[in-house]
Amino acid sequence: MSNAAKMEISTARAERGVDVRPAYLEALTLVERLHRRLLDVIKDEFDRRGRSDINAVQALLLYNIGDSELTAGELRTRGYYLGSNVSYNVKKLVEMDYLHHSRSRIDRRSVRISLTAEGKDVRDIVAALYEKHVFTVEQIGGVSADEFKVVNNALTRLERFWTDQIKYRL
């Protein structure tokens, strides 16, 4: 490829980048802010129920584990946990009897975790909260199912992009 062609491609990319940059940065900010707002909503629900024994991050983690039995590493790889201190929260949830842990039969170094009855109660509270939102998000929030499909499609493609960035170190 000639230098002129490379320069033309580079210029076109730079022009597109100017258009994409503000929207990309706004999307990143909104995703982060939405996650924090979700944690606030979960915290408020537990506060209303007089439940100060568990924090919103831990409750969301229990919800995401659901009926699965998995390792702490799988929590992160499956996207169930967004923080860096997953081991701390897993340890605390085991101590508070929300999580059961046992050594894997196959790899004795690996610990498998699953919800206890108390953990399932917390999961059910978060599930009920989400169910309530399902019935109000369109009327109060003004977001339709079609709009969610568009947003989810874009976020899925963005997640793949980031995965590729990590995988190929681009």
Side-chain angles (χ1 to χ4, degrees), residues 41-154:
V41 167
I42 292 170
K43 179 189 179 308
D44 288 347
E45 180 66 21
F46 280 86
D47 286 349
R48 269 193 294 283
R49 293 170 177 260
R51 298 282 309 260
S52 60
D53 56 325
I54 188 164
N55 67 42
V57 170
Q58 293 165 339
L60 186 57
L61 180 58
L62 293 173
Y63 173 81
N64 286 328
I65 292 170
D67 291 326
S68 299
E69 180 182 286
L70 30 87
T71 66
E74 288 173 316
L75 292 174
R76 296 206 55 205
T77 59
R78 293 183 186 190
Y80 293 165
Y81 187 78
L82 301 175
S84 60
N85 55 354
V86 67
S87 298
Y88 170 80
N89 277 310
V90 166
K91 179 182 173 196
K92 285 304 215 186
L93 290 167
V94 168
E95 288 172 2
M96 295 186 297
D97 201 33
Y98 289 111
L99 280 179
H100 173 72
H101 70 102
S102 60
R103 295 271 172 213
S104 170
R105 292 183 308 269
I106 298 166
D107 182 354
R108 301 299 295 164
R109 297 169 296 172
S110 177
V111 174
R112 308 288 296 172
I113 58 173
S114 59
L115 300 185
T116 63
E118 291 84 0
K120 289 177 182 178
D121 288 343
V122 170
R123 178 210 49 207
D124 292 346
I125 291 170
V126 176
L129 180 64
Y130 284 178
E131 198 60 29
K132 183 173 91 175
H133 293 160
V134 165
F135 292 108
T136 60
V137 72
E138 190 166 15
Q139 296 96 352
I140 296 171
V143 184
S144 70
D146 288 338
E147 289 172 307
F148 274 116
K149 288 176 186 174
V150 170
V151 168
N152 292 343
N153 187 14

Side-chain angles (χ1 to χ4, degrees), residues 28-44:
L28 294 177
T29 300
L30 286 170
V31 167
E32 184 180 10
R33 191 179 310 150
L34 283 171
H35 179 67
R36 284 194 309 267
R37 296 284 188 266
L38 172 62
L39 294 175
D40 289 343
V41 167
I42 292 170
K43 179 189 179 308
D44 288 347

